[in-house]
Amino acid sequence: MTQIKNIGVYTSGGDAPGMNAAIRAVVRSSIYYGIDVTGIRRGYDGMIKGDMFPMDRKSVSNIIQRGGTILKTARSEQFRTPEGRKQAYENLKANNVDALVAIGGDGTFTGARIFGEEYGMPIVGLPGTIDNDLWGTDFTIGYDTAINTVIDAVDKIRDTAESHDRLFIVEVMGRDSGLIALRTGIAAGAEAILIPESKTDLQSVFDRLERGRKDKKSKIIMLAENGVAGDAFEVGRQIKEKFPNYDTRVSILGHIQRGGRPSCMDRVLASRVGVAAVEALRNGHRNEMIGLIHNEIAYTPFEHALKHNVEINPDFLKIVEILAI
Ligand code: F6P
């Protein structure tokens, strides 16, 4: 058992529904095990500015159901520099913080890994991103809520698409990952999905539209941002050029995907990994992300958790093709 006295907790990168439930779990389980907790505002920026405060049981009351993050979040440029990290370390020491729980995604863990190695600070991470693009967990905190927000929106788009016989290109988030588009495309009954990871190019979408039912004019094409085929307007322009008879429209769902009350799945995931993170630090775990694989707590070194390792299940794409006939 490692003697940890004060855990600093922070959220960093894009916010995700369920981050508050994760903060709550870290704070309450620390207190349960007799450890003090320090909340750090705005991720690494707050560490560098010394923007931190003691948290108690009450500071996380009534937040489990709230979207966003009460600790606020940021993407810090300064933390990329050795000077920024040194300042952060000095502030943590001044506040008696001797271990950290980082809640975030790829960028958050990249920073945590470097910092942990440089200063020997025990750090574990919780996967908090709507993108689900981390290796070492079946799902990230926020993904379930985000995909439900997406299908809610696409169901509504489908109503108007059907009434007007229109083809809609719906662009969803995911940075460099198509996991939001892939799953919601299946759930929303999309005709085609364009994601960065697959070889699906616009030509195959054209082929599918050509082969598809001629009597059904309303169609949904799900597009992940940052794809090779271009953004939703570019895809729409090219479809219109090829199929002038289609009445096409574009809908970019944007940041509504990041907000809202976390789903039950996200709250439970956040609570489980939040408690496990504090227990992991006590048991000597370092530089690892705490995720859930096959419903069991899983520990993955930061360098393996980063998104370039995540693969797409090709069965999912096949399902879209089969079901779109
Ligand atoms: O990583 C989460 C995410 O929402 C991505 O899906 C998206 O590409 C990015 O953040 C948007 O970031 P910002 O809110 O800083 O524009």
Side-chain angles (χ1 to χ4, degrees):
M1 193 76 49
T2 316
Q3 200 52 43
I4 285 172
K5 295 197 182 70
N6 190 331
I7 294 179
V9 59
Y10 59 100
T11 48
S12 161
D15 63 349
M19 279 185 163
N20 281 329
I23 296 166
R24 173 180 179 267
V26 171
V27 171
R28 294 257 166 106
S29 52
S30 297
I31 294 167
Y32 178 87
Y33 287 115
I35 302 169
D36 290 339
V37 200
T38 298
I40 302 163
R41 293 193 188 89
R42 295 184 181 80
Y44 296 115
D45 272 355
M47 243 182 242
I48 293 168
K49 291 192 180 112
D51 191 359
M52 38 191 102
F53 62 102
M55 295 184 86
D56 60 19
R57 195 180 52 78
K58 276 207 187 135
S59 38
V60 290
S61 289
N62 200 25
I63 66 165
I64 194 167
Q65 78 283 15
R66 283 165 57 187
T69 159
I70 59 159
L71 290 177
K72 300 195 179 268
T73 186
R75 303 187 202 277
S76 175
E77 279 309 313
Q78 241 187 315
F79 198 75
R80 293 179 195 272
T81 66
E83 297 74 29
R85 294 194 293 275
K86 183 165 181 291
Q87 184 61 54
Y89 180 71
E90 278 164 13
N91 288 334
L92 292 172
K93 279 281 131 209
N95 284 274
N96 301 315
V97 174
D98 55 6
L100 291 170
V101 176
I103 307 171
D106 198 59
T108 308
F109 298 155
T110 303
R113 185 177 60 79
I114 297 169
F115 193 62
E117 280 166 12
E118 258 173 8
Y119 291 99
M121 172 79 72
I123 313 180
V124 295
L126 299 183
T129 165
I130 63 163
D131 298 343
N132 202 34
D133 57 350
L134 295 167
W135 182 261
T137 191
D138 290 341
F139 298 107
T140 54
I141 299 163
Y143 178 63
D144 184 65
T145 308
I147 57 179
N148 279 296
T149 300
V150 170
I151 58 162
D152 229 42
V154 179
D155 287 351
K156 288 172 180 151
I157 289 171
R158 188 178 273 289
D159 287 346
T160 175
E162 186 72 18
S163 307
H164 287 266
D165 283 338
R166 281 177 174 160
L167 179 151
F168 268 84
I169 296 122
V170 182
E171 186 181 296
V172 295
M173 277 185 166
R175 199 178 294 275
D176 312 312
S177 158
L179 288 165
I180 294 178
L182 187 60
R183 202 167 272 264
T184 57
I186 292 175
E191 264 66 31
I193 296 175
L194 281 162
I195 55 174
E197 298 89 339
S198 85
K199 301 275 173 289
T200 320
D201 56 10
L202 259 185
Q203 188 52 51
S204 62
V205 175
F206 295 161
D207 294 346
R208 206 169 289 178
L209 290 175
E210 225 134 51
R211 282 198 314 268
R213 281 166 47 192
K214 297 288 171 290
D215 57 329
K216 184 172 175 277
K217 290 278 188 318
S218 92
K219 294 181 191 296
I220 303 286
I221 295 177
M222 295 297 294
L223 172 75
E225 63 175 338
N226 292 328
V228 279
D231 67 11
F233 291 103
E234 175 56 21
V235 170
R237 193 190 61 74
Q238 294 201 40
I239 290 179
K240 188 77 190 157
E241 204 172 282
K242 185 92 181 153
F243 302 94
N245 291 339
Y246 276 121
D247 190 9
T248 59
R249 292 289 187 276
V250 163
S251 188
I252 297 174
L253 298 189
H255 285 77
I256 63 160
Q257 295 163 89
R258 286 235 299 260
R261 294 167 58 225
S263 67
C264 180
M265 291 291 281
D266 276 330
R267 295 183 205 188
V268 174
L269 170 64
S271 301
R272 287 186 71 185
V273 294
V275 171
V278 172
E279 291 175 344
L281 282 173
R282 291 181 82 228
N283 292 329
H285 287 265
R286 305 278 178 274
N287 293 323
E288 287 174 346
M289 186 191 81
I290 318 296
L292 216 56
I293 299 178
H294 298 146
N295 210 20
E296 298 282 342
I297 295 295
Y299 309 88
T300 304
F302 283 140
E303 64 266 33
H304 294 157
L306 306 182
K307 68 183 164 201
H308 49 84
N309 289 317
V310 175
E311 279 164 18
I312 288 289
N313 181 347
D315 293 354
F316 276 45
L317 287 168
K318 187 73 189 163
I319 288 168
V320 177
E321 190 184 338
I322 292 171
L323 298 183
I325 56 165

